[in-house]
Amino acid sequence: MTTTKVWQVMGRSNPEILAEQLAEAAALLREGELVAFPTETVYGLGADARNSKAVEAIFKAKGRPSDNPLIVHIADERQLDELVLPYPELAGSLMKQLWPGPLTLVLPVRPEAVSPLVTAGLSTVGVRMPDHPAALALIQQSDCPVAAPSANRSGRPSPTLAEHVLEDLGGKISGVVDGGATGVGLESTVIELPDSNTIRILRPGGITAEQLQSAAPEAVIDAPASTKSEVTEAPRSPGMKYTHYAPQGDLVIVQGDPAKAVRYIQQQLNEVRTSQLKTGVLTFDERTAAFDADLVLTYGSEQRLEQAAHRLYAALRQFDAEGVQRIWAEGCSEEGIGLALMNRLAKAAGHQIVRL
């Protein structure tokens, strides 16, 4: 059992103060230890991406399948040049406009630049520059590219608070940088560039398809259906395979006309009532009063899907904390951040989706 240290940092402290606060955490990363830290998306579980023993410890702590590649986080372009081979002009343009930010680019990896465990044996590596001062200060000071999946047990909802990290990984990792609640609440968008004019979204996330199109007006955006079933080939990026983000209770998504969704969910609640199972509903502010369940949680207003993205994982964890066994969640529009939200919901529900 490891003693997990917690470093409290102010979310927007100046770089000099952050460097001082994070000196110990950065030293631990350099020494091959695991340190969780906040990003603008979710908390990541960091290790030196060049150190196979450290990277192996990520998989062990999380219980993560070894064929699931890791994203490497950097703090400056110098680190990028050390990691990847020459990349397309389109990639450089997207980095200039959208980094730092929740965008991961899958690029050709420079031989021996990172542990083969990071790439899961692929010839590419996913790289991003997070838009969070504590993350950037920690990476800068550790002087290593940082491999960092979400800092949770594999399959569980991703952590948006340091407390979530400690729930899942306390005693298994060396430390957690506590920067308060994360901003976006969903992981980064992962893209690859199969040719000079195509942006293929491998995992929708904090950067929307619309933002990518705006950044590259001439490019063709190849966006997946959010709720497609699991891929069977080796995943090219995190989040493409396996059931992720799942609460302990049975989760079903109900998508369609809101009035029909309310009727369907309440009918299901009525049928379950005699079974003594604890029930939960995840809905929007506009309809919280419509349900008679043991626990009704809200995403926020359906007019502000970025709020729903921010609240999703914390809500799934709250269902767990209160022992809810059957959960129905309203689906949403797949425009903008809604695509990423429905992608995570579908995976959390094991693709149990009722369409009305």
Side-chain angles (χ1 to χ4, degrees), residues 21-88:
Q21 291 175 317
L22 297 175
E24 185 181 6
L28 286 169
L29 277 176
R30 282 196 301 275
E31 291 162 12
E33 300 294 328
L34 303 186
V35 174
F37 60 94
T39 75
E40 79 282 25
T41 58
V42 299
Y43 275 76
L45 179 59
D48 182 346
R50 304 164 303 189
N51 182 333
S52 284
K53 188 174 178 184
V55 174
E56 187 176 13
I58 289 179
F59 288 92
K60 185 176 178 183
K62 283 178 59 73
R64 182 184 174 99
S66 61
D67 69 341
N68 208 358
L70 303 177
I71 290 170
V72 177
H73 295 64
I74 61 170
D76 58 51
E77 288 184 19
R78 173 187 59 81
Q79 288 180 305
L80 180 66
D81 293 338
E82 292 171 359
L83 285 173
V84 301
L85 296 169
Y87 47 81

Side-chain angles (χ1 to χ4, degrees), residues 55-314:
V55 174
E56 187 176 13
I58 289 179
F59 288 92
K60 185 176 178 183
K62 283 178 59 73
R64 182 184 174 99
S66 61
D67 69 341
N68 208 358
L70 303 177
I71 290 170
V72 177
H73 295 64
I74 61 170
D76 58 51
E77 288 184 19
R78 173 187 59 81
Q79 288 180 305
L80 180 66
D81 293 338
E82 292 171 359
L83 285 173
V84 301
L85 296 169
Y87 47 81
E89 189 178 326
L90 178 56
S93 174
L94 292 171
M95 290 173 203
K96 188 176 248 185
Q97 296 178 73
L98 299 172
W99 275 8
L103 179 68
T104 295
L105 289 95
V106 175
L107 300 169
V109 67
R110 193 173 288 281
E112 300 182 7
V114 297
S115 163
L117 295 174
V118 169
T119 61
L122 300 173
S123 60
T124 54
V125 63
V127 185
R128 89 177 188 96
M129 189 183 293
D131 187 15
H132 192 290
L136 292 171
L138 178 66
I139 297 164
Q140 192 86 50
Q141 196 163 351
S142 68
D143 198 31
C144 63
V146 176
S150 54
N152 57 317
R153 286 202 317 275
S154 193
R156 293 270 289 133
S158 297
T160 54
L161 293 168
E163 289 86 345
H164 297 160
V165 179
L166 292 168
E167 280 172 19
D168 280 11
L169 300 176
K172 295 182 177 181
I173 65 176
S174 291
V176 181
V177 176
D178 183 354
T182 58
V184 177
L186 298 179
E187 295 82 359
S188 64
T189 299
V190 182
I191 63 169
E192 65 178 2
L193 307 174
D195 58 52
S196 62
N197 200 45
T198 302
I199 300 172
R200 179 176 296 146
I201 299 175
L202 300 178
R203 180 183 74 183
I207 293 290
T208 66
E210 292 83 355
Q211 287 171 293
L212 289 168
Q213 192 72 81
S214 178
E218 305 302 316
V220 175
I221 309 295
D222 179 8
S226 70
T227 54
K228 71 180 182 179
S229 59
E230 302 290 79
V231 295
T232 53
E233 72 271 17
R236 298 188 301 285
S237 88
M240 291 189 69
K241 196 174 181 182
Y242 310 107
T243 298
H244 284 286
Y245 326 115
Q248 290 162 4
D250 183 59
L251 172 63
V252 174
I253 299 160
V254 182
Q255 192 169 23
D257 176 73
K260 289 182 180 176
V262 167
R263 284 197 297 273
Y264 175 84
I265 292 171
Q266 191 55 54
Q267 182 184 2
Q268 298 299 304
L269 290 165
N270 293 341
E271 290 176 9
V272 168
R273 185 167 287 116
T274 56
S275 69
Q276 304 299 307
L277 291 173
K278 193 164 185 180
T279 58
V281 175
L282 183 54
T283 184
F284 291 95
D285 282 351
E286 290 81 356
R287 290 178 287 283
T288 50
F291 300 104
D292 179 17
D294 294 308
L295 181 61
V296 178
L297 299 180
T298 177
Y299 295 109
S301 172
E302 63 186 338
Q303 303 304 316
R304 296 185 57 200
L305 290 185
E306 71 280 359
Q307 193 175 61
H310 178 72
R311 293 183 177 185
L312 174 63
Y313 292 142

Side-chain angles (χ1 to χ4, degrees), residues 186 204-205 226 253 284 299 305-306 308-310 312 330-333 336-346:
L186 298 179
S226 70
I253 299 160
F284 291 95
Y299 295 109
L305 290 185
E306 71 280 359
H310 178 72
L312 174 63
E330 271 197 274
C332 66
S333 155
I337 196 70
L339 180 68
L341 185 61
M342 283 301 298
N343 171 274
R344 303 309 193 274
L345 275 169

